[in-house]
Amino acid sequence: MVSDRPQAPSVYKRRLAGIGGLSHLVEKGRNAVGAAGTRRLDLTQRWRRQPVSLPSGVDAVRQSVFAGEWIAFGPNDFPAFAGTMAVERVATGFRWAEGPVYFPAGRYVLFSDIPNNRIMRFSEDDGHLSVYRQPSMNSNGNTIDREGRLITCEHSGRRVTRTELDGSITIIADKYNGKKLNSPNDAVVASDGSIWFTDPVYGIGGFYEGLKAEPEQEKHNVYRVDPKSGDVKVVVDDFVEPNGISFSPDEKKLYVLDTGFTDGPDNPSHIRVFNLDLAAGKVSNGKVFAEMPKPSITDGVRCDSEGRVWCSVGWGDPNEDGVRCYTPDGDLLGKIHIPETVANLCFGGQQRNRLYICGSTSLYAVYTGVQGAMKP
């Protein structure tokens, strides 16, 4: 049992436990968010105690990750946690989990396990985990269109595909100007049916996440597929390594991540934002929305219904591993710490308020105080 409430310390420490013996301390408190203009945590007013003990017979995979002594709500305007505030590891045993997408009709999450060449399915209602597709052509990013069909970016296929409602697979894009795409990474579908996707070279750099090959495209582009003609057009061509992609809820902004830092220390590790003219299929006025703390990078991004931007963080300082949340203006609201490098994330659940997080070997979930935009 926890003891009586202590005074809030100047530097708040939370123990992360329950992951196969893994435990470490993450400091929060004194300028914990670490960005200019971000408010400090108010630990004296917004706190909650959690008992460390867990019921007997609870599967270790479904134990609360953050079953530590103290859990803070964070700044008043950081809507990261709701209810018990538990971040749960709901599934594990993967080599590199990526590209989660939620299907509300079936109440399940699909996500890629890239090196194992499979798409996994986590059923939200009973916690059942199963293989949805294997081989998956080393699938990476997944999303859902307005008809409820799966859109997948495939590394070894070097293509973007759509899984029809009868299970057949349609190739959406595999070439541009007669040459093979590099290795499509992530995709988003607009309300007009157009499909926008990124095309870095990660999937052809070796044999771990795809098939090693020489790139045929001169640049690493962001593409748009016309919903009527199927024509593939370049919308942005000046990224080093374009990665995660998302629309704002009103589809007036396009967010694209650049993880070019993986190719060299002088390259970017940030989120860019563009003004979006959806009807014209064009973007303009691109600028940096948020910088990541190098050597960390951000790999996946989603928006909630009020326009806040949620992105993954990993591959650098372990204290930065997890999820960041930004205001629509680019101010950092706060972080959710995860004890693994985080690649991607998506909102799900019956109320669209559960954030699913792909953290390397595991799938995590946390109930938030917001609803996902649920625009793929």
Side-chain angles (χ1 to χ4, degrees):
M1 299 294 293
V2 284
S3 60
D4 293 336
R5 173 183 176 183
Q7 293 184 349
S10 59
V11 177
Y12 170 70
K13 294 184 178 182
R14 175 173 61 191
R15 180 173 300 277
L16 310 182
I19 307 181
L22 173 65
S23 64
H24 62 279
L25 293 175
V26 173
E27 295 186 353
K28 297 192 72 175
R30 188 173 53 210
N31 298 325
V33 178
T38 304
R39 292 167 35 179
R40 296 173 60 182
L41 299 183
D42 183 356
L43 297 175
T44 61
Q45 297 179 9
R46 301 181 66 81
W47 62 275
R48 189 180 181 98
R49 291 177 295 173
Q50 287 279 94
V52 181
S53 60
L54 293 164
S56 60
V58 174
D59 187 337
V61 171
R62 298 189 59 77
Q63 291 179 3
S64 171
V65 174
F66 297 142
E69 296 89 348
W70 297 94
I71 297 178
F73 279 93
N76 295 337
D77 49 1
F78 178 36
F81 302 103
T84 61
M85 302 168 294
V87 176
E88 301 170 284
R89 187 174 71 173
V90 297
T92 193
F94 319 112
R95 292 194 183 277
W96 178 236
E98 249 279 19
V101 57
Y102 183 77
F103 281 76
R107 291 192 62 193
Y108 58 81
V109 180
L110 296 182
F111 60 98
S112 299
D113 185 4
I114 303 177
N116 283 327
N117 198 16
R118 59 184 181 173
I119 297 176
M120 305 301 296
R121 175 173 49 203
F122 171 75
S123 296
E124 185 179 61
D125 53 354
D126 62 1
H128 180 69
L129 181 70
S130 60
V131 176
Y132 175 80
R133 176 180 298 160
Q134 190 175 33
S136 67
M137 306 295 284
N138 298 106
S139 62
N140 189 333
N142 298 283
T143 191
I144 183 175
D145 69 11
R146 302 309 167 95
E147 285 72 45
R149 298 171 296 188
L150 173 66
I151 307 296
T152 301
C153 295
E154 300 176 356
H155 279 180
S156 55
R158 300 174 72 169
R159 63 187 188 178
V160 179
T161 63
R162 181 176 64 224
T163 302
E164 307 295 347
L165 298 180
D166 64 1
S168 61
I169 295 177
T170 300
I171 298 175
I172 300 299
D174 61 354
K175 292 182 176 65
Y176 175 69
N177 281 348
K179 297 180 179 180
K180 290 182 180 180
L181 298 174
N182 295 321
S183 58
N185 188 285
D186 210 352
V188 64
V189 182
S191 59
D192 66 356
S194 59
I195 298 173
W196 302 58
F197 68 94
T198 58
D199 191 37
V201 295
Y202 295 123
I204 57 174
F207 294 103
Y208 187 65
E209 295 188 17
L211 299 175
K212 188 174 182 178
E214 291 297 319
E216 297 185 17
Q217 298 295 329
E218 180 182 353
K219 296 183 177 181
H220 306 165
N221 299 317
V222 179
Y223 294 96
R224 173 187 181 271
V225 182
D226 187 87
K228 296 180 180 178
S229 67
D231 290 343
V232 180
K233 301 292 185 183
V234 173
V235 290
V236 190
D237 67 355
D238 62 349
F239 278 86
V240 180
E241 296 288 3
N243 209 309
I245 185 170
S246 182
F247 296 125
S248 61
D250 59 8
E251 295 184 321
K252 293 183 178 180
K253 302 288 184 182
L254 175 71
Y255 298 95
V256 184
L257 314 184
D258 196 336
T259 52
F261 180 76
T262 60
D263 296 355
D266 296 328
N267 289 332
S269 176
H270 59 213
I271 303 173
R272 290 172 65 183
V273 61
F274 301 84
N275 293 336
L276 173 62
D277 185 339
L278 191 61
K282 296 180 180 180
V283 298
S284 60
N285 300 323
K287 63 180 181 180
V288 173
F289 174 78
E291 294 281 359
M292 293 299 112
K294 293 180 178 178
S296 296
I297 61 173
T298 177
D299 201 339
V301 61
R302 293 290 187 271
C303 289
D304 64 35
S305 60
E306 297 179 17
R308 286 175 287 257
V309 177
W310 301 71
C311 69
S312 65
V313 180
W315 292 106
D317 182 355
N319 289 327
E320 296 290 346
D321 287 352
V323 175
R324 286 185 165 213
C325 177
Y326 292 88
T327 69
D329 294 324
D331 296 323
L332 181 61
L333 280 174
K335 309 173 185 177
I336 303 173
H337 288 284
I338 301 293
E340 297 186 72
T341 279
V342 172
N344 217 324
L345 68 168
C346 75
F347 284 96
Q350 290 182 299
Q351 304 301 323
R352 309 195 315 276
N353 65 335
R354 197 177 194 189
L355 189 64
Y356 286 97
I357 302 166
C358 281
S360 300
T361 68
S362 306
L363 178 68
Y364 298 86
V366 58
Y367 283 99
T368 71
V370 300
Q371 291 183 306
M374 290 302 285
K375 292 183 186 291

